Amino acid sequence: MPPQKKKFLFVNRKAPYGTIHAHEALEAILTGAAFEQRISILFLDDGVFPLLKEQNSGDIGLKDFSPTYNALSLYGVENIYVDEESLIERGIASDELSIKVELKTTKEVCLIMEQQDVIFNF
Amino acid sequence: MPPQKKKFLFVNRKAPYGTIHAHEALEAILTGAAFEQRISILFLDDGVFPLLKEQNSGDIGLKDFSPTYNALSLYGVENIYVDEESLIERGIASDELSIKVELKTTKEVCLIMEQQDVIFNF
Amino acid sequence: MLHIINKSPTNSPALKQCLKRAQQGSSILLMEDAAYALISKTEASSQIKQHMNRVSFYVLEPDIKARGIGEKIISGIQRIGYNDFVKLACSQHPVQSWF
Amino acid sequence: MLHIINKSPTNSPALKQCLKRAQQGSSILLMEDAAYALISKTEASSQIKQHMNRVSFYVLEPDIKARGIGEKIISGIQRIGYNDFVKLACSQHPVQSWF
Amino acid sequence: MKFAIQINQSPYTHQSPDTAYQFTLAALKSGHEIYRIFFYHDGVLNGSGFTTPPQDERNVVARWSELAEEYGIDLVICIAAAQRRGIMDADEAERHGHAASNLAAGFRLSGLGQLIEAGIEADRLLVFGG
Amino acid sequence: MKFAIQINQSPYTHQSPDTAYQFTLAALKSGHEIYRIFFYHDGVLNGSGFTTPPQDERNVVARWSELAEEYGIDLVICIAAAQRRGIMDADEAERHGHAASNLAAGFRLSGLGQLIEAGIEADRLLVFGG
């Protein structure tokens, strides 16, 4: 009997470029997706910023890693959640995001967290 | 003719232990005091926390560097300023500080900054 | 579940962001610079008081002692050592660190 | 004098702490994640608007572009490149970095 | 209980590796298992073997090495993060033409899969610092 | 005009060393002088010679070394901060029995006095990151 799959949640709470955390979180998520667990991703607080469209980091000399978010659905990630309140506080509309996501209320975000086996924090 | 002395301000804005910035700032200040410039120090925002009395960092395994603040006056530091509003916001009374300081209002803090030749940020 | 915060409440929004999401019955451990959040008569400690009837608060005593704030913190908080931290992590799950 | 901020307004109090201390006639440069403070209809940008009649605001255009927020920021801010940053540092003094 | 630990921040600059150490020590002494400690982001600097702090300060790096030797715990440094931060084992050093490795004793370099696998195998994952 | 620059944060993890680099380059190209760049706190990792980032990313460390060679600027790593973070020049490496230095080309280790002296000599001090 194969071992039971675990529910993994990757929580992204950092803006891109200013620190590498969003970028390195994405590397961890793509690795995690290969392990055939039940993977969800939550973009929370400043973690919604990396999802903005039309990033162009050439002039600051950093690599634009935002196109890689498109790969998440191909990798079998089950759920991509975005905290709606985090978007509103930051003046972002959901159609300004580069990928398709599920918007969640604060209450729903709390429940999603509670239901996990493991939470990876970035 | 000896070169004119410069007005140096060291601005401390970080709590101790959680990060090393307050500790390494103090090392820089003590070095600076040996250069015979006109040295002032400003404790601002979370930078007031390192001045609290009776710190005892043995159980977290870090060195308690707070007694070193006592040396500042011996080193010829001209002014030791503390932003009064920063203390109030953090629930600290001025008699809870380990060294003698000059309390300054927000307006005075602004003027002190403006009057410097060089500001060192920590 | 267990929430962990290690940042000063006056230098990071981590405490507020955690309190907004912590469910009834969950536990919050304050450690490192987050210990400053417990100083009485501050905005942070009054926010914590508002959640004390639905969330259990813990703080690492070594961090309180290091920072010289042992006499200044609000009551109703469980002051624990590293061994109790381990027990807390055993009894709660999952764990979310807010930094 | 010149104030420099490089932290996100929703992840750091640096912007608020700077605005409280910036004198009439001083300049504030927003760079790196502080560029997010200029997004319209946010708490940060409305605070900035309240200070625009007494403080000059600048932002590094490369940071705006990197973050994809070029179309979203409030007006009245001088968007500059690294060469202008150098000129700004020449014309103002002293410099205080808020981080 | 089986713990996995993730450490994200550099030693000395941040207290979080110290807190992680105290937690790990307390867990081991209480008879729990530390399945793995995974060092990510600037946390990889916890395995920087050239670290030589002042004599009156704790040696964060040596302390991990001693713990690994005494309890046989698995200290894994993320190789991709290590390359960005200048930490090399002997193989990497040779490959890049350096005369020495600067990876401290008791640590090994490996991929992010080791973090995910620790999440699968352990009962709890605790993330320190960020 | 004569600039002194202080850099406090680690490369890759933080953008501030990148912004400091862009500022320095622009200042030099505009004919200004960079009196010294002083690396403090985790900023000392900007001089970590074993750094080998992925090929499609900028090499922050090599970029500083190239700037030093081209413009002859003085890149000073705080020695006390470097000891806490595992950065050693050849002398230090020998003294501690390591087979190699990991200080990148163009950097030198020295004391905090170099920061203060830069504050005295330069017209402006700019501090990046923290």
Side-chain angles (χ1 to χ4, degrees), chain B residues 15-28:
Chain B
Y17 308 115
T19 67
I20 201 175
H21 296 97
H23 184 176
E24 289 191 329
L26 188 54
E27 293 181 352

Side-chain angles (χ1 to χ4, degrees), chain F residues 95-119:
Chain F
R95 199 157 65 85
H96 295 283
H98 295 290
S101 150
N102 66 340
L103 186 67
F107 290 83
R108 66 187 178 94
L109 295 181
S110 190
L112 275 163
Q114 298 283 310
L115 169 62
I116 308 301
E117 198 242 5

Side-chain angles (χ1 to χ4, degrees), chain F residues 2-74:
Chain F
K2 223 188 272 185
F3 286 104
I5 309 275
Q6 181 183 337
I7 297 180
N8 288 342
Q9 287 183 310
S10 48
Y12 299 104
T13 307
H14 301 277
Q15 193 192 341
S16 61
D18 294 282
T19 308
Y21 173 81
Q22 300 293 352
F23 179 91
T24 301
L25 195 64
L28 290 168
K29 289 194 170 166
S30 311
H32 297 290
E33 181 187 342
I34 300 293
Y35 181 76
R36 179 171 295 145
I37 305 183
F38 190 84
F39 297 87
Y40 199 36
H41 305 298
D42 274 0
V44 301
L45 297 160
N46 281 270
S48 179
F50 289 4
T51 305
T52 48
Q55 297 215 324
D56 60 346
E57 286 184 32
R58 83 272 186 216
N59 190 325
V60 177
V61 176
R63 218 167 50 179
W64 288 124
S65 298
E66 287 156 19
L67 210 64
E69 194 176 336
E70 188 173 349
Y71 292 93
I73 50 175
D74 191 20

Side-chain angles (χ1 to χ4, degrees), chain A residues 6 8 10 24-41 72 75-77 120 122, chain E residues 111-117 120:
Chain A
K6 278 193 170 180
F8 277 10
F10 290 83
E24 289 190 331
L26 188 53
E27 293 180 352
I29 293 165
L30 293 177
T31 304
F35 276 74
E36 304 200 338
Q37 304 296 309
R38 299 183 54 193
I39 305 243
S40 301
I41 310 176
L72 290 175
Y75 274 72
V77 170
F120 294 88
F122 292 98
Chain E
L112 275 163
Q114 298 282 308
L115 169 63
I116 307 301
E117 197 243 7
I120 295 171

Side-chain angles (χ1 to χ4, degrees), chain B residues 19-78:
Chain B
T19 67
I20 201 175
H21 296 97
H23 184 176
E24 289 191 329
L26 188 54
E27 293 181 352
I29 294 165
L30 294 176
T31 304
F35 276 75
E36 304 200 338
Q37 305 296 307
R38 298 183 56 194
I39 306 244
S40 301
I41 309 176
L42 170 62
F43 296 93
L44 189 66
D45 301 325
D46 273 10
V48 302
F49 283 133
L51 297 179
L52 277 168
K53 282 180 193 160
E54 290 169 37
Q55 297 177 37
N56 183 345
S57 56
D59 291 349
I60 58 172
L62 275 71
K63 193 182 161 184
D64 175 10
F65 60 97
S66 63
T68 313
Y69 288 109
N70 288 307
L72 291 175
S73 54
L74 307 173
Y75 274 73
V77 170
E78 288 190 8

